[in-house]
């Protein structure tokens, strides 16, 4: 039976059990949110810099889609698997600290690039660093918070996405206009080194199974093939992985291209885009992620299906607001339409992460997270920006500057497909939770 945070389960090292207090749990969560925020600042900074990069390095939309998508996602997604295998057998805290240091340094290196290929190599370095952060972070949080609080904890962790986008847009836009795009990479990259030191020297490595009230499982061989098989065989996790991947295809693609859309179609500067989109993504998106997780935990207390259904309902309701954002000519009213789209669209991360962790054996949680992120990022982050860039280039001769607008509208309808899979996940989650093995 799962324990409450105030009563640590027996059978664990007493010194560690005493140190993992409710106050420490909050501190660990805040620090992991800071790390996740740093990763999304560095990951998404290219979005606000698309126009100056395009002008200075003479890049096409297809190349810019590659830099913000595949160049990062291919290595980020694939290296997550071997790093997660190590994390499931060793110290997760140290892996996270090294990862933060690597991606922060490589983001700063982006500011030294003189051409497309140099920038692509630096972006690959950012992806390599970020590969080692989320899977062990998910695993650690699952050992700190019991499953009845896991959606809320994961949703707070997911705030890093929206805080990161906000900081990247605000700081990146202002610095790019004032001192150039190179300075923007330096300014957002270097502070991550401090977070890496805090993680390494102030965090505790929690015992496996601590929050679930079960003893740590034996340290057996991690079977990657079995990890893939479990996620595919369990119906709920299969639908969640597909749903979150389709959601990411739209989400990551539009995050990268929305600044360019506002600059091209509404005539805004990079600073103005940062001031408009940054607070919307950070405050409204953050509220959506937090409230979505809390609602999922409360609704799931009555019916476990709502862990998944609340995401599907929110994504479906967001679609008309997304389309209105791209069709309304008034900048003010476009941003008004965008706020509910961002709020509702942010519901998915916490419940999705929590469902995967709750349906995975204890010794494979980092691996399960890495597999989900492999699929999500390879297809979502990798192909979302790239496909929108390609469609925009293909339509340019026919519709001119409007090509990006129509490419983004087309992407919005992928959300309907995602809603279907969250609905199906809700139908099977009760059975799958009852038959999970630790």
């Amino acid at each position: 039976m799962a324990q409450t945070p105030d009563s640590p389960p027996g059978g664990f090292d007493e010194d560690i059990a005493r140190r993992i207090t409710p106050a420490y749990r909050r501190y660990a969560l805040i620090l992991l949110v800071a790390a996740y925020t740093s990763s999304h600042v560095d990951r998404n900074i290219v979005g606000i810099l698309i126009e100056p990069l395009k002008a200075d390095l003479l890049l096409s939309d297809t190349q810019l889609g590659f830099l913000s998508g595949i160049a990062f996602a291919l290595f980020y997604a694939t290296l997550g698997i071997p790093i997660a295998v190590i994390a499931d057998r060793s110290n997760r805290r140290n892996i996270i600290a090294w990862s933060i240091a690597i991606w922060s340094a490589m983001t700063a290196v982006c500011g030294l690039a003189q051409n497309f290929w140099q920038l692509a190599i630096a972006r690959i370095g950012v992806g390599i660093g970020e590969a080692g952060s989320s899977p062990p972070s998910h695993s650690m949080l699952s050992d700190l918070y019991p499953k009845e609080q896991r959606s809320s904890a994961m949703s707070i962790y997911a705030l890093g996405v929206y805080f990161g986008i906000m900081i990247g847009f605000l700081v990146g836009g202002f610095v790019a206009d004032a001192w150039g795009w190179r300075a923007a990479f330096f300014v957002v990259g270097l502070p991550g080194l401090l977070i890496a030191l805090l993680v390494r020297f102030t965090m505790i490595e929690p015992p496996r199974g601590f929050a679930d009230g079960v003893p740590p499982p034996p340290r057996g061989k991690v079977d990657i093939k079995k990890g893939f098989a479990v996620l595919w065989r369990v119906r709920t996790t299969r639908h969640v992985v597909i749903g979150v991947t389709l959601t990411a295809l739209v989400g990551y693609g539009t995050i990268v291209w929305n600044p360019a859309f506002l600059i091209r179609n509404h005539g805004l500067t990079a600073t103005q885009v940062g001031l408009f989109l940054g607070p919307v993504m950070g405050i409204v998106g953050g509220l959506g992620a937090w409230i979505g997780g809390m609602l999922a935990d409360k609704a799931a207390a009555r019916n476990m299906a709502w862990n998944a259904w609340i995401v599907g309902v929110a994504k479906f309701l967001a679609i008309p607001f997304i389309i209105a954002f791209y069709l309304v000519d008034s900048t003010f009213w476009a941003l008004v339409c965008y706020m509910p789209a961002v709020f509702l669209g942010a519901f998915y991360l916490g419940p999705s992460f929590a469902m995967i962790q709750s349906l995975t054996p204890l010794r494979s949680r980092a691996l399960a997270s890495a597999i989900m992120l492999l699929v999500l990022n390879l297809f979502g982050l990798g192909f979302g920006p790239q496909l929108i860039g390609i469609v925009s280039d293909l339509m340019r001769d026919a519709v001119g500057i409007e090509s990006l607008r129509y490419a983004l509208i087309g992407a919005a309808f992928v959300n309907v497909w995602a809603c279907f899979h969250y609905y199906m996940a809700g139908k099977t989650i009760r059975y799958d939770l009852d038959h999970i093995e630790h």
Side-chain angles (χ1 to χ4, degrees), residues 68-131:
S68 51
I70 293 176
F72 173 90
L74 182 62
F75 289 86
Y76 170 65
T78 55
L79 285 177
I81 300 292
I83 293 173
V85 170
I86 298 171
D88 275 329
R89 295 174 55 83
S90 61
N91 191 296
R92 294 164 288 185
R93 176 201 61 196
N94 295 349
I95 292 171
I96 296 168
W98 275 108
S99 298
I100 300 168
I102 292 169
W103 85 56
S104 300
M106 292 307 298
T107 298
V109 170
C110 289
L112 303 175
Q114 300 298 315
N115 55 50
F116 168 75
W117 289 110
Q118 290 178 6
L119 188 54
I121 291 170
R123 287 291 291 171
I124 287 170
V126 177
I128 290 172
E130 292 197 22

Side-chain angles (χ1 to χ4, degrees), residues 159-229:
L159 293 177
V161 175
Y162 303 96
F163 291 164
I165 296 168
M166 177 176 66
I167 294 170
F169 282 2
L170 286 171
V171 175
F174 174 77
V175 173
D177 279 346
W179 297 290
W181 62 268
R182 297 181 188 279
F185 281 117
F186 299 144
V187 169
V188 302
L190 296 177
L193 298 176
L194 174 60
I195 300 174
L197 292 173
L198 289 173
V199 169
R200 174 61 183 83
F201 294 107
T202 68
M203 286 191 69
I204 303 166
E205 173 73 7
R208 317 278 172 166
F210 186 80
D212 291 290
V214 297
R219 186 179 293 183
K221 181 180 179 182
V222 177
D223 190 334
I224 297 176
K225 184 177 179 180
K226 183 179 178 181
F228 275 96

Side-chain angles (χ1 to χ4, degrees), residues 44-371:
N44 293 300
I45 188 67
V46 172
I48 197 69
L49 302 178
I50 276 182
E51 293 306 295
L53 284 170
K54 185 181 180 74
D56 193 18
L57 300 182
L58 305 177
L59 305 179
S60 69
D61 283 355
T62 299
Q63 287 176 310
L64 289 162
F66 178 83
L67 288 172
S68 51
I70 293 176
F72 173 90
L74 182 62
F75 289 86
Y76 170 65
T78 55
L79 285 177
I81 300 292
I83 293 173
V85 170
I86 298 171
D88 275 329
R89 295 174 55 83
S90 61
N91 191 296
R92 294 164 288 185
R93 176 201 61 196
N94 295 349
I95 292 171
I96 296 168
W98 275 108
S99 298
I100 300 168
I102 292 169
W103 85 56
S104 300
M106 292 307 298
T107 298
V109 170
C110 289
L112 303 175
Q114 300 298 315
N115 55 50
F116 168 75
W117 289 110
Q118 290 178 6
L119 188 54
I121 291 170
R123 287 291 291 171
I124 287 170
V126 177
I128 290 172
E130 292 197 22
S133 177
S134 283
S137 295
H138 291 178
S139 178
M140 287 181 74
L141 288 173
S142 296
D143 286 329
L144 290 171
Y145 288 89
K147 64 176 179 289
E148 60 266 21
Q149 298 178 10
R150 208 163 280 158
S151 281
S152 295
M154 290 292 186
S155 294
I156 292 172
Y157 175 75
L159 293 177
V161 175
Y162 303 96
F163 291 164
I165 296 168
M166 177 176 66
I167 294 170
F169 282 2
L170 286 171
V171 175
F174 174 77
V175 173
D177 279 346
W179 297 290
W181 62 268
R182 297 181 188 279
F185 281 117
F186 299 144
V187 169
V188 302
L190 296 177
L193 298 176
L194 174 60
I195 300 174
L197 292 173
L198 289 173
V199 169
R200 174 61 183 83
F201 294 107
T202 68
M203 286 191 69
I204 303 166
E205 173 73 7
R208 317 278 172 166
F210 186 80
D212 291 290
V214 297
R219 186 179 293 183
K221 181 180 179 182
V222 177
D223 190 334
I224 297 176
K225 184 177 179 180
K226 183 179 178 181
F228 275 96
V230 168
L231 285 185
W232 186 254
R233 184 179 67 251
V234 177
R235 291 172 297 174
T236 303
T237 56
R238 180 169 70 239
H239 285 296
V240 169
V241 169
I242 296 173
V244 80
T245 300
L246 293 169
T247 298
L249 186 77
V250 179
Y252 284 128
T254 55
I255 286 169
V256 166
W257 286 106
N258 281 345
F261 166 73
L262 289 172
I263 291 171
R264 294 180 193 180
N265 293 75
H266 288 264
L268 303 184
T269 65
T271 299
Q272 289 173 323
V273 171
L275 288 172
F276 288 140
L277 285 190
V280 171
M281 295 300 299
I283 298 172
V284 179
L287 282 172
W290 178 50
I291 291 172
M294 288 199 305
L295 289 176
D297 275 341
K298 290 183 181 298
R302 295 187 293 273
N303 182 349
M304 290 301 300
W306 280 103
N307 265 318
W309 287 349
I310 198 165
V311 179
V313 170
K315 296 302 295 182
F316 188 79
L317 293 175
I319 295 172
F321 294 104
I322 297 171
I323 295 171
F325 170 65
Y326 296 121
L327 290 178
V328 173
D329 290 329
S330 164
T331 304
F332 172 80
W333 287 110
L335 292 170
V336 168
C337 292
Y338 194 52
M339 285 191 279
V342 171
F343 178 80
L344 294 166
F347 275 38
Y348 79 103
L349 278 173
S352 297
F353 289 161
M355 283 186 283
I356 293 296
Q357 293 294 297
S358 296
L359 289 161
T360 303
L362 295 176
R363 186 58 77 173
S364 301
R365 280 177 169 172
L367 176 60
S369 177
I371 292 171

Side-chain angles (χ1 to χ4, degrees), residues 370-411:
I371 292 171
M372 182 186 79
L373 291 169
L374 166 68
V375 179
L376 183 160
N377 288 295
L378 196 59
F379 290 95
L381 178 56
F383 290 104
Q386 183 72 81
L387 289 174
I388 291 173
I390 290 172
V391 172
S392 177
D393 278 342
L394 290 174
M395 297 179 67
R396 188 169 301 279
D397 288 341
V399 295
I401 196 174
E402 297 295 311
S403 63
L404 182 57
R405 184 199 301 267
Y406 292 119
L408 289 164
I409 290 173

